[in-house]
Amino acid sequence: MLDVCPLSLVDRCRNVNILTFLRAIETIGEAAGRMRARGELEETMWRNTASMFAAALSPFLLFGVAAAQDKAVKVGVLNDQASVYSSITGPGSVAAARLAIEDMGGSMFGKPIELVYADHGHKPDVGSTIARRWFDTEGVDAIFDIYSSGVALAVQGIAEQKNKILVVSMASSRDIGGKSCSPNGMQWANDGYEVANLTVKGSSGDKPTSWYFITVDYTAGHSIERDAQKIIEAGGGKFLGAVRFPLNSPDFSSFLLRAQSSGAKNIGFIGGGADMTNAIKQAAEFEIGRTGQRFVPFSLTTVDIEALGNKATQGMPLVLSYYWDESEKTKAWAERFKKAFGKLPSDPQANVYSAVLHYLKSVKAAGTTDTTAVLAKMKEMPVEDLFTSGARIRADGRLMRDIYYAEAKKPDAMQGPTDLITLVKKMPGSEAFVPADESECKLLKK
């Protein structure tokens, strides 16, 4: 009889998918049972077969339990640590993940929960190399954050291939949860469709108007622009064109001049981080507001408002799920984050906390780090944390959470230095995110 997992091969056996083995045993057992019922399997052979199954299965199950309890839970944060988006994700996301680990007691299965992090540099090949190393040799079970659509799409494919987990806090390409969706991938916070949907409708006041776009020239920017155009035209508005700019552009003067000359009432800016703050500063220098046009950034965060000030950002829209002044719980967590990191948290950073916490709760409930079991628990259990209540993960991996449309306050409306925005409208996920019947995700077609 074959020894399924002898002690001499324990390290090699750790990579065996327990559930796959169990299904194989079950299938063979059922076939033998049918043969016995038809008289095709003699009594003695039937008993010998049953004994063989029991002998093979028993040590495997014992090993499976021991392996699950023996392996440390290990998570990775992969994002922009030093470039254009580092202020809104970066090291702050790592700090948020640490707080989630702390809230789970810091250990599981008798071992400390481990955390690693790295910078993908917005390069899919770099992100892919890191993800493969983490999954193959460093024992990472799940990767979080990303904040780059190109990297997210590449890593999501690897996670599915390796049967690991990817939870993207924010990445805007519709393909992540659309035609490239994966049972191993999830989107936790903003995505391109929802940002375009709420920003266009909120900024337009549900009235038809005209738009011209200044769009970052990569996957996420193109995706948001396409969604925005569809939403504008569906509402009776006019899409007057767009100009593209490369990531990390220091000078937006030529792009702003083209947008001004379009005559559009709204100049939509699709880009974030340092690109967006530079564009907002230069738009103020061009006095765009005085000509009757409105400069509308699509990725503004509270971190950007703090950096630029409310005088420069007043009236500009935000789409977010976490804001520190929303409730006593969000205020308390913000103070805790500030004590740990030195700054107030951004929406993406809070969502990394939320995602890591839910993952760890699911591992604990499953009693194992086995991906199949953990994914089942993540999708079975509602997401509950300091700013999320009862949200569930849709088949395409989209967390159907509530979302706010907000606007930066005027300086004279602020009650203090951290009173930055007004929460204008709260939208349920069913109204904010792409409808299931409009998605290209194969997992929603079942």
Side-chain angles (χ1 to χ4, degrees):
M1 184 183 68
L2 175 65
D3 186 350
V4 175
C5 196
L7 292 177
S8 61
L9 296 178
V10 163
D11 287 339
R12 195 176 302 172
C13 287
R14 290 185 194 281
N15 294 322
V16 175
N17 187 317
I18 295 172
L19 294 181
T20 300
F21 179 83
L22 292 179
R23 292 189 188 105
I25 289 289
E26 182 182 15
T27 300
I28 295 170
E30 288 175 352
R34 287 194 296 271
M35 291 173 68
R36 169 64 181 154
R38 293 195 300 265
E40 297 172 9
L41 198 64
E42 294 180 3
E43 181 70 24
T44 301
M45 186 177 294
W46 165 250
R47 288 174 181 172
N48 289 342
T49 301
S51 298
M52 182 183 70
F53 285 164
L57 191 57
S58 179
F60 192 85
L61 287 174
L62 289 173
F63 167 75
V65 172
Q69 293 175 345
D70 182 60
K71 182 188 180 303
V73 181
K74 193 169 185 178
V75 299
V77 172
L78 182 61
N79 63 15
D80 177 350
Q81 287 283 310
S83 184
V84 63
Y85 296 137
S86 60
S87 63
I88 53 179
T89 58
S93 290
V94 178
R98 286 199 179 106
L99 292 180
I101 292 171
E102 183 181 306
D103 284 349
M104 290 299 295
S107 65
M108 203 170 293
F109 309 139
K111 289 183 176 291
I113 298 168
E114 298 179 25
L115 172 66
V116 294
Y117 60 92
D119 188 338
H120 55 52
H122 296 277
K123 297 176 181 178
D125 59 333
V126 173
S128 296
T129 299
I130 294 167
R132 287 183 189 279
R133 184 180 75 244
W134 281 358
F135 289 150
D136 289 343
T137 66
E138 296 189 22
V140 171
D141 302 295
I143 294 176
F144 299 85
D145 202 5
I146 304 290
Y147 210 99
S148 169
S149 290
V151 178
L153 285 164
V155 173
Q156 183 165 268
I158 294 169
E160 183 170 359
Q161 177 190 350
K162 305 290 183 181
N163 195 28
K164 298 290 186 175
I165 293 171
L166 171 67
V167 186
V168 179
S169 64
M170 292 192 185
S172 299
S173 173
R174 193 166 174 176
D175 290 348
I176 296 169
K179 63 183 181 182
S180 298
C181 69
S182 165
N184 296 69
M186 283 162 263
Q187 286 183 286
W188 215 253
N190 289 353
D191 63 38
Y193 177 91
E194 160 246 0
V195 168
N197 184 25
L198 271 66
T199 303
V200 168
K201 292 177 180 177
S203 299
S204 302
D206 294 325
K207 295 179 181 179
T209 186
S210 56
W211 290 78
Y212 186 92
F213 284 86
I214 301 173
T215 304
V216 64
D217 193 13
Y218 62 55
T219 303
H222 305 167
S223 177
I224 295 176
E225 184 187 292
R226 285 194 299 271
D227 283 330
Q229 180 176 356
K230 291 177 183 176
I231 293 164
I232 289 164
E233 292 174 345
K238 295 181 179 180
F239 180 88
L240 299 182
V243 62
R244 306 282 171 79
F245 69 89
L247 190 68
N248 282 321
S249 291
D251 185 6
F252 288 89
S253 56
S254 63
F255 308 123
L256 289 165
L257 284 170
R258 290 180 65 173
Q260 277 187 309
S261 65
S262 73
K265 292 294 183 183
N266 295 292
I267 298 173
F269 184 87
I270 300 176
D275 284 335
M276 182 178 59
T277 57
N278 286 336
I280 289 172
K281 290 175 185 176
Q282 291 170 38
E285 293 170 4
F286 276 67
E287 298 185 329
I288 283 177
R290 292 190 179 182
T291 63
Q293 292 178 304
R294 184 181 182 187
F295 188 82
V296 183
F298 274 53
S299 299
L300 191 67
T301 72
T302 50
V303 172
D304 303 313
I305 297 174
E306 277 193 298
L308 292 164
N310 280 65
K311 184 177 180 181
T313 58
Q314 58 184 300
M316 290 183 178
L318 299 83
V319 175
L320 72 171
S321 51
Y322 168 85
Y323 179 50
W324 54 68
D325 265 351
E326 180 189 356
S327 69
E328 292 305 315
K329 286 184 179 180
T330 58
K331 289 177 184 178
W333 189 81
E335 287 304 314
R336 184 177 161 215
F337 181 92
K338 187 176 181 180
K339 185 176 180 180
F341 187 63
K343 298 178 181 179
L344 288 169
S346 67
D347 184 33
Q349 290 160 351
N351 273 280
V352 169
Y353 167 85
S354 172
V356 172
L357 185 68
H358 186 68
Y359 169 78
L360 294 176
K361 286 180 179 179
S362 301
V363 171
K364 184 176 181 179
T368 175
T369 57
D370 176 77
T371 296
T372 303
V374 175
L375 281 172
K377 285 296 179 183
M378 290 185 78
K379 294 174 182 180
E380 170 192 321
M381 295 165 55
V383 179
E384 299 284 348
D385 55 55
L386 63 113
F387 66 106
T388 318
S389 180
R392 292 188 178 273
I393 300 166
R394 198 165 62 178
D396 58 350
R398 156 49 55 198
L399 177 63
M400 300 300 288
R401 59 159 65 254
D402 292 339
I403 296 291
Y404 283 106
Y405 172 79
E407 292 181 353
K409 286 187 174 182
K410 295 179 180 180
D412 59 8
M414 296 170 64
Q415 300 299 310
T418 63
D419 182 26
L420 303 180
I421 67 175
T422 299
L423 299 175
V424 178
K425 189 174 183 179
K426 189 175 187 177
M427 298 279 286
S430 59
E431 295 180 27
F433 299 108
V434 63
D437 60 2
E438 292 182 22
S439 172
E440 297 178 84
C441 177
K442 58 186 179 294
L443 301 172
L444 290 172
K445 307 303 179 184
K446 293 181 179 180

